[in-house]
Amino acid sequence: MKIIDLFNSKKPVLSFEVFPPKADSPLDDIFKALDKFAKLRPDFMSVTYGAGGNGNKRTVEISSRIKNTLGIESLTHLTCIGHTKDEIDAILSNMSKNNLENILALRGDLPVGEKRLPDGKRDFSYASDLIDHIKKHKKSGIFSTAAAAYIEGHVECKSLKQDLLNLKYKYDRGVDFLITQLFFDNRRYFEFIEKAAGIGVACPIVPGIMPVFKADQIKTISAKSGCSIPADLVLMMDKYGSEPEEMKKAGIDYAARQIRDLLEGGAPGLHIYTMVRPVSTKLILEQAGIR
Ligand SMILES: Cc1cc2nc3c(=O)[nH]c(=O)nc-3n(C[C@H](O)[C@H](O)[C@H](O)COP(=O)(O)OP(=O)(O)OC[C@H]3O[C@@H](n4cnc5c(N)ncnc54)[C@H](O)[C@@H]3O)c2cc1C
């Protein structure tokens, strides 16, 4: 099933993001976690892709487990930076063999410390190039393509306006829905979807929610992604930063409140960056009144 059909038929569409274990770790733990996530009845689950080649085969394998064993729709992340067109074609063919129809088309990032790609590895510069390429694949008809959006702007982009225009260009290549980078201030999400709609981005824009459990985690996330930390979250860190259990409870409560407010404001779905924590995800959904 194409995930866009879910957005066309129900609201909210609930999704969980998981990541594959390291290449030398067994898959048993993630498979056990998937069983627990399945009990929370998500509409789909997405599996991240290690840009630069780490754990790539496992992304398709885990997506296949979600779809073909658990019977839940899956969204397979795919980054293009550092891949050749032939490599991407091989992944798309493998996806099609596994009956995987939904792709989150991403650029990805250069490995830390590298400024440019080696010769022969520069077939793709942006996610929009990947989307164009997917459309040319012999099995392109089976794929539905989603992409990433940055409500506070992508860290590399010099202006929010330009980032939005780049998003519109990407959307015009053929994007069925967008998932946002994490954010903590819902007002920015609602402002962003208005602006995006204003320039003709007419697909569902799903908020990505990252629950925070540790004060230093918030700082790292914010520094890496450029997302702002609202005053109430700063106060929460000050109050509970040195009490891990209290901080975790407060983080669950914050995510649940954020979710309730987003749904009241009309968000088409919720994409939870679960960090492969089914128990905390369950608590958040219960507190938000969703499950
Ligand atoms: C929901 C979500 C899931 C993610 N999953 C993964 C994952 O599984 N694996 C992983 O490695 N990373 C993942 N990422 C991170 C992502 O790979 C990085 O944020 C990366 O830096 C940008 O990828 P993109 O697809 O958004 O890039 P793009 O859309 O290509 O944008 C990248 C930058 O280029 C600019 N740009 C775009 N088009 C043009 C153009 N034509 N000319 C000039 N500038 C342009 C944009 O404004 C932006 O600054 C995810 C991010 C999100 C939000």
Side-chain angles (χ1 to χ4, degrees):
M1 178 191 219
K2 295 201 164 75
I3 289 170
I4 187 58
D5 294 334
L6 287 168
F7 285 103
N8 290 333
S9 62
K10 69 175 293 200
K11 194 173 171 183
V13 171
L14 175 66
S15 55
F16 299 152
E17 182 170 307
V18 296
F19 51 80
K22 289 195 179 111
D24 54 357
S25 305
L27 286 171
D28 304 7
D29 287 350
I30 182 82
F31 285 171
K32 279 186 201 145
L34 292 180
D35 291 344
K36 289 183 187 153
F37 281 123
K39 293 198 175 109
L40 302 176
R41 306 189 314 283
D43 294 299
F44 71 91
M45 280 196 253
S46 85
V47 187
T48 64
Y49 186 89
N54 298 323
N56 298 344
K57 288 199 182 101
R58 294 187 144 189
T59 299
V60 170
E61 195 174 347
I62 296 166
S63 293
S64 175
R65 173 89 176 192
I66 293 168
K67 167 118 192 204
N68 301 312
T69 305
L70 297 176
I72 295 169
E73 201 42 71
S74 63
L75 174 65
T76 309
H77 297 210
L78 178 58
T79 62
C80 58
I81 200 157
H83 272 311
T84 63
K85 287 182 177 170
D86 286 349
E87 286 166 352
I88 292 290
D89 283 341
I91 296 166
L92 295 176
S93 297
N94 191 22
M95 282 186 65
S96 125
K97 261 188 230 146
N98 281 278
N99 196 23
L100 302 175
E101 297 165 86
N102 299 285
I103 304 173
L104 183 65
L106 298 149
R107 185 198 69 178
D109 293 306
L110 286 172
V112 179
E114 285 183 30
K115 291 218 164 70
R116 62 197 293 258
L117 289 164
D119 291 342
K121 290 277 184 183
R122 296 195 202 134
D123 283 359
F124 301 94
S125 301
Y126 300 108
S128 49
D129 301 331
L130 175 61
I131 297 166
D132 282 340
H133 188 72
I134 293 169
K135 304 281 170 205
K136 288 185 206 144
H137 189 264
K138 58 179 188 286
K139 297 277 185 185
S140 64
I142 75 156
F143 295 124
S144 162
T145 308
Y150 301 83
I151 65 168
E152 297 180 68
H154 182 259
V155 275
E156 286 165 30
C157 198
K158 293 196 174 67
S159 83
L160 277 176
K161 194 174 165 200
Q162 187 56 49
D163 207 41
L164 205 53
L165 292 174
N166 292 341
L167 179 70
K168 172 69 164 65
Y169 179 80
K170 180 161 74 170
Y171 165 76
D172 285 340
R173 313 323 301 151
V175 167
D176 287 334
F177 65 98
L178 292 159
I179 301 180
T180 76
Q181 188 181 48
L182 63 102
F183 58 91
F184 299 113
D185 188 344
N186 287 355
R187 286 172 307 179
R188 291 180 184 251
Y189 168 78
F190 292 118
E191 281 162 19
F192 176 80
I193 54 170
E194 260 187 51
K195 278 189 203 147
I199 61 161
V201 177
C203 65
I205 303 180
V206 187
I209 302 299
M210 167 79 86
V212 286
F213 303 118
K214 292 178 185 165
D216 52 359
Q217 177 200 2
I218 303 176
K219 287 178 197 157
T220 313
I221 292 169
S222 162
K224 264 194 185 165
S225 65
C227 86
S228 56
I229 307 180
D232 53 352
L233 201 49
V234 175
L235 291 175
M236 191 176 107
M237 287 190 290
D238 285 349
K239 194 165 173 191
Y240 302 116
S242 56
E243 298 167 58
E245 273 313 302
E246 292 306 310
M247 181 69 208
K248 194 171 154 191
K249 274 191 216 156
I252 288 172
D253 183 56
Y254 193 93
R257 275 187 285 126
Q258 213 187 337
I259 287 172
R260 278 200 300 272
D261 181 57
L262 285 164
L263 294 183
E264 277 165 24
L270 290 168
H271 184 73
I272 303 186
Y273 295 107
T274 67
M275 312 294 285
V276 199
R277 290 177 183 239
V279 176
S280 302
T281 304
K282 181 168 184 270
L283 288 173
I284 290 167
L285 294 178
E286 282 170 358
Q287 278 202 35
I290 297 181
R291 291 286 186 268

